[in-house]
Amino acid sequence: MTTHATDRPSGRAGAKGPGVAAVLRYFGIAVIVVYCLAPFFWMVVSAFRRPSDQFQLSALPRPWSTANFRAVFKPEVGFGRALLNSLVVAGITTVITLVIGTVAAYALARLEFRFKNLVAAVIIAISMFPPISIVVPLLKLFTDIKWINTYQAMIVPSLSFALPLAVWYLTSFFRQLPAELEQAAMIDGCTRGQAFRKVILPLAAPGVFTTAIITFIAAWNDFIIALSMVNKKDMQTATVAISRFTGAYGFDQPYGTQMAAGVVVTVPLVLAVLAFQRRIVSGLTAGGLK
């Protein structure tokens, strides 16, 4: 009887332990979710307020209004063209990054050549340069070769940051794939290029897809390069167009229209990430498995 009496408190203490840990874990998750989603929630709420109510502090719009969205897409604002420009720049940057980055990463992961480690170090070092540090020399160069107000003036600088990260990530991903797969394909008659195309690329699809999503989001959100290289309204991207809103109703504050435009720019990216979250997670984790 004495033994049972002493056992009961320890059992209760053991039962309380996991409960407290679970509460703390869920509390931490809730804090992070609120911290991340609060700015987006306030942007959506502000976008649906009437222009006359844009500085209200109520949790929800009263009443709900789509006036800001209608103002954003007025023909004279040119926001539709800005969205198209962002899509072109981000899309081309992503495609070029994948084509060059996949081949370069495979070479670093599989081929043996002199100064291989130095090349890898230089590639990752380039990605650490802040964008503002290359804007001035590129602006001078692009002015001399008459690239200002062109798509390539925004795509080429974006590649200088997207490519190193893509190569670095895909290199680590390719290294996790067994080399025996290529060797078996080459024994069956494939060249190294055919083995790469027919065997390795399909297995590397999660990593390539994740790299494409990350690259597209980074290029879509770029601001400093697009702002510096373009001064024509019909060539500016969505992020630059939002910063240059002057108010859709004369001399009013453009706060409401900027929030509406921010929702239009952000929602497609959020939906894309939610739709492909399993592929993104599998791509991020697959490269770390051995």
Side-chain angles (χ1 to χ4, degrees):
M1 296 295 294
T2 308
T3 306
H4 291 179
T6 55
D7 286 343
R8 286 176 185 174
S10 61
R12 290 175 184 175
K16 288 182 179 179
V20 173
V23 170
L24 291 176
R25 182 168 61 251
Y26 287 120
F27 176 76
I29 293 173
V31 170
I32 294 174
V33 169
V34 171
Y35 177 80
C36 294
L37 293 183
F40 181 72
F41 170 78
W42 193 252
M43 180 174 66
V44 173
V45 169
S46 301
F48 282 100
R49 297 189 196 277
R50 295 179 301 181
S52 58
D53 301 333
Q54 60 184 359
F55 293 111
Q56 285 185 354
L57 298 179
S58 57
L60 293 174
R62 298 178 183 175
W64 291 74
S65 171
T66 59
N68 290 320
F69 290 94
R70 294 195 302 270
V72 165
F73 285 101
K74 284 184 175 180
E76 60 269 21
V77 176
F79 190 67
R81 176 57 189 263
L83 285 174
L84 178 61
N85 293 335
S86 289
L87 182 62
V88 171
V89 172
I92 295 177
T93 300
T94 302
V95 171
I96 297 177
T97 297
L98 289 182
V99 172
I100 300 177
T102 302
V103 176
Y106 178 78
L108 286 174
R110 286 289 192 260
L111 304 182
E112 294 297 332
F113 53 90
R114 295 181 63 184
F115 308 116
K116 176 179 173 179
N117 293 333
L118 178 61
V119 171
V122 170
I123 288 175
I124 195 61
I126 291 174
S127 66
M128 297 180 183
F129 292 174
I132 192 64
S133 65
I134 67 170
V135 166
V136 175
L138 284 181
L139 186 60
K140 176 66 168 64
L141 173 63
F142 292 165
T143 302
D144 293 340
I145 63 177
K146 302 186 186 306
W147 270 20
I148 299 300
N149 293 315
T150 61
Y151 286 130
Q152 58 265 33
M154 295 180 281
I155 293 171
V156 172
S158 297
L159 287 173
S160 65
F161 298 102
L163 264 176
L165 293 177
V167 170
W168 186 260
Y169 172 71
L170 289 174
T171 298
S172 63
F173 190 89
F174 283 133
R175 283 174 178 167
Q176 304 303 321
L177 299 178
E180 290 79 6
L181 296 174
E182 298 148 274
Q183 295 171 0
M186 288 187 284
I187 291 174
D188 290 338
C190 290
T191 63
R192 180 175 286 275
Q194 290 173 331
F196 169 69
R197 188 176 69 255
K198 297 180 179 180
V199 178
I200 299 301
L201 270 185
L203 294 176
V208 174
F209 186 86
T210 304
T211 304
I213 291 291
I214 295 174
T215 301
F216 185 88
I217 292 176
W220 179 272
N221 291 333
D222 173 70
F223 176 75
I224 186 65
I225 293 174
L227 178 66
S228 304
M229 303 301 170
V230 170
N231 52 43
K232 286 185 179 179
K233 186 175 181 179
D234 61 346
M235 287 299 299
Q236 64 188 8
T237 59
T239 52
V240 176
I242 293 174
S243 70
R244 291 178 175 175
F245 278 173
T246 56
Y249 299 94
F251 297 98
D252 63 326
Q253 289 280 347
Y255 180 75
T257 51
Q258 286 179 334
M259 294 298 102
V263 171
V264 174
V265 170
T266 306
V267 166
L269 299 181
V270 174
L271 294 178
V273 171
L274 292 177
F276 300 109
Q277 59 178 330
R278 290 186 179 180
R279 285 182 174 269
I280 295 173
V281 172
S282 65
L284 291 173
T285 55
L289 299 178
K290 205 163 185 177

